[in-house]
C-alpha cells in the first residue's frame, strides 16, 4: 500500500542558483546534497515542519522532462498578498498580480525559479 509521496523532482541546470532560490527566497531547508552518478547532482529540500520533499536534479536523457516549464506543483501559504509582495521585493520572477477568481477558488499566483520552472502559490484555507 502506498504510504506517502517520497518527493517531487524538478530538473535544474544550475544547482547553485536553484538551491539559493528555494532555500533563501522560498524558505526551504536543504536535507541532502549528493552525486548519485557522475555528472548528476541531487539536492533534497523540505519546508520546515513538513514531510514534503522537493528534489532538484540534473536532467538526464529521458528520465525527466526538460528544464523549464510548468512543474504542476502548488505550494500553499497564508497571507498570499503579503507573500506575493515579499517575493517581488526579493526579486523573484512572479506574476504581476495575485489572481482572484471567486469565493470558492483560492487566490493564487505563479512564480518561476532561476531555470524557468513554474510553481504556483495558492492561499491556504
Amino acid at each position: 500500500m502506498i504510504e506517502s509521496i517520497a518527493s517531487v523532482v524538478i530538473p535544474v541546470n544550475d544547482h547553485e542558483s536553484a538551491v539559493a532560490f528555494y532555500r533563501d527566497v522560498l524558505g526551504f531547508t536543504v536535507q541532502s546534497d549528493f552525486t548519485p552518478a557522475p555528472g548528476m547532482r541531487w539536492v533534497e529540500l523540505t519546508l520546515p515542519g513538513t514531510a514534503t520533499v522537493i528534489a532538484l536534479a540534473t536532467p538526464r536523457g529521458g528520465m525527466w522532462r526538460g528544464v523549464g516549464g510548468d512543474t504542476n506543483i502548488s505550494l500553499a501559504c497564508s497571507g498570499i498578498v503579503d507573500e506575493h509582495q515579499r517575493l517581488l521585493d526579493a526579486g523573484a520572477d512572479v506574476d504581476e498580480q495575485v489572481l482572484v477568481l471567486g469565493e470558492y477558488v483560492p487566490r493564487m499566483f505563479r512564480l518561476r525559479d532561476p531555470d524557468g520552472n513554474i510553481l504556483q502559490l495558492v492561499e491556504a484555507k
Side-chain angles (χ1 to χ4, degrees):
M1 175 183 266
I2 296 172
E3 297 177 14
S4 66
I5 294 173
S7 64
V8 293
V9 180
I10 300 175
V12 297
N13 288 320
D14 181 350
H15 275 79
E16 295 309 317
S17 64
V19 168
F21 175 77
Y22 286 89
R23 182 191 60 219
D24 302 338
V25 177
L26 297 185
F28 283 78
T29 302
V30 176
Q31 295 298 305
S32 62
D33 185 346
F34 59 97
T35 303
M40 184 176 186
R41 185 171 172 192
W42 185 273
V43 180
E44 292 183 341
L45 304 108
T46 61
L47 286 168
T50 71
T52 303
V53 175
I54 287 182
L56 305 176
T58 306
R60 306 266 306 181
M63 288 179 74
W64 299 292
R65 63 165 179 75
V67 174
D70 200 336
T71 64
N72 295 305
I73 296 171
S74 292
L75 304 171
C77 69
S78 55
I80 196 157
V81 172
D82 291 339
E83 183 64 4
H84 182 261
Q85 188 61 53
R86 184 190 75 77
L87 291 169
L88 275 172
D89 293 345
D93 180 6
V94 298
D95 288 349
E96 199 171 300
Q97 59 188 350
V98 175
L99 180 63
V100 180
L101 295 174
E103 79 176 278
Y104 297 108
V105 178
R107 296 184 294 178
M108 65 187 79
F109 65 90
R110 293 164 61 117
L111 71 140
R112 285 140 299 275
D113 74 10
D115 279 297
N117 294 302
I118 301 167
L119 301 130
Q120 179 171 278
L121 261 70
V122 297
E123 189 164 45
K125 294 193 176 200

